[in-house]
Amino acid sequence: MSRYLPGLMVALLLCLPGVAPGAPPERGLGPFPERGPGDPGRGERMMAPVAESAPEWSALSRAERAVLAPLAEQWDDLSPRRRLHLLRVADRWQDMSPEQRDRFSSDLRRLESLSPEERRQLRDQRRRLEALPEDERRLHRERLEHFQRLSPEEREHLRERWLQMSPEERRAIRERGRVSGD
C-alpha cells in the first residue's frame, strides 16, 4: 500500500477543491459553531493578499487548529498558497457531510503518518503536477476519476501490469498519453 500512497495523496490534493457539497449540517455543529452555511463573514481572510492571509500555526483559531491538527508540525513550513488551500478546506468543514469529514480526517492522518522522505516525494509530485499546463492537469484528473471508477480487481490488475513493465515501456506509455491526450 505504501508504494501507492504518494499517488493517492496527490489524488486527494487534486480532488479537495472540488469536495462535493453534502446536506449542510445544522448551525452549531462541527468546529465552527458560530458560523452557518452561507454566512457572509465566512472566508474573509481568503480575500486578503496571500502574504497577509497565510497565518502561522499560532495565529489560527482553536477551531482551525482542531481540524488541521495532523499538520501542526509542518504547518509553518507549508507555502502560503498551500496554507490558504487548507484553511479553505477547514472553513468548508461546517458544510461537509459526516462521510466527507471522515474521509478528510483519515486523509490527514495518513499524511501525518508518512515518513519525511515520503512527504518529500509527495511534495515533489504535487509540484510537478502544478507545473503542468492546465489541459494536462485536467487529463490527469480525468484519468484518476476513470481509475477510481474501476473495480478493486481491475485496479489491481492494472497496477500489476504497470509494475511488470520495463522503464522504457512505462516511458512510452507516458509519452503516448501526452501526445494523444487519451
Side-chain angles (χ1 to χ4, degrees):
M1 178 66 177
S2 64
R3 69 177 181 241
Y4 306 118
L5 199 50
L8 291 172
M9 293 308 296
V10 168
L12 166 73
L13 296 173
L14 287 173
C15 294
L16 277 179
V19 172
E26 295 178 31
R27 185 183 206 77
L29 297 178
F32 300 101
E34 69 281 0
R35 303 185 208 168
D39 282 352
R42 295 184 77 202
E44 288 175 6
R45 178 170 43 213
M46 303 311 155
M47 300 305 289
V50 171
E52 297 173 20
S53 61
E56 293 184 357
W57 183 259
S58 60
L60 296 179
S61 70
R62 183 180 302 163
E64 289 167 332
R65 285 194 305 257
V67 172
L68 299 167
L71 299 170
E73 289 182 27
Q74 62 203 42
W75 181 262
D76 292 335
D77 296 330
L78 296 174
S79 71
R81 186 172 154 219
R82 190 78 200 124
R83 287 186 209 172
L84 282 179
H85 171 73
L86 291 167
L87 282 170
R88 285 185 194 104
V89 173
D91 197 45
R92 284 197 315 251
W93 182 268
Q94 179 72 20
D95 298 329
M96 289 183 185
S97 69
E99 295 81 22
Q100 290 168 328
R101 290 179 185 182
D102 289 344
R103 190 180 87 211
F104 179 71
S105 296
S106 68
D107 288 339
L108 282 179
R109 281 191 299 274
R110 235 180 292 140
L111 181 61
E112 183 183 41
S113 71
L114 294 177
S115 71
E117 176 60 22
E118 289 171 319
R119 286 185 191 155
R120 186 195 60 74
Q121 290 173 355
L122 184 61
R123 278 192 304 273
D124 291 346
Q125 193 172 11
R126 189 184 74 235
R127 285 184 189 123
R128 283 193 304 274
L129 281 170
E130 288 174 350
L132 292 174
E134 180 56 36
D135 57 333
E136 284 191 47
R137 276 191 304 227
R138 183 179 34 76
L139 180 62
H140 279 281
R141 277 191 293 272
E142 290 170 2
R143 287 179 176 166
L144 174 65
E145 289 167 4
H146 172 74
F147 184 76
Q148 289 173 333
R149 285 190 301 265
L150 296 174
S151 70
E153 295 80 21
E154 290 172 311
R155 281 187 246 163
E156 188 57 33
H157 176 72
L158 283 176
R159 282 187 193 108
E160 288 172 9
R161 280 184 46 205
W162 181 258
L163 292 173
Q164 292 172 358
M165 289 181 188
S166 70
E168 294 78 24
E169 290 172 314
R170 292 179 190 176
R171 197 173 2 264
I173 287 175
R174 286 185 185 116
E175 290 301 318
R176 188 175 60 226
R178 285 188 193 117
V179 172
S180 67
D182 52 28

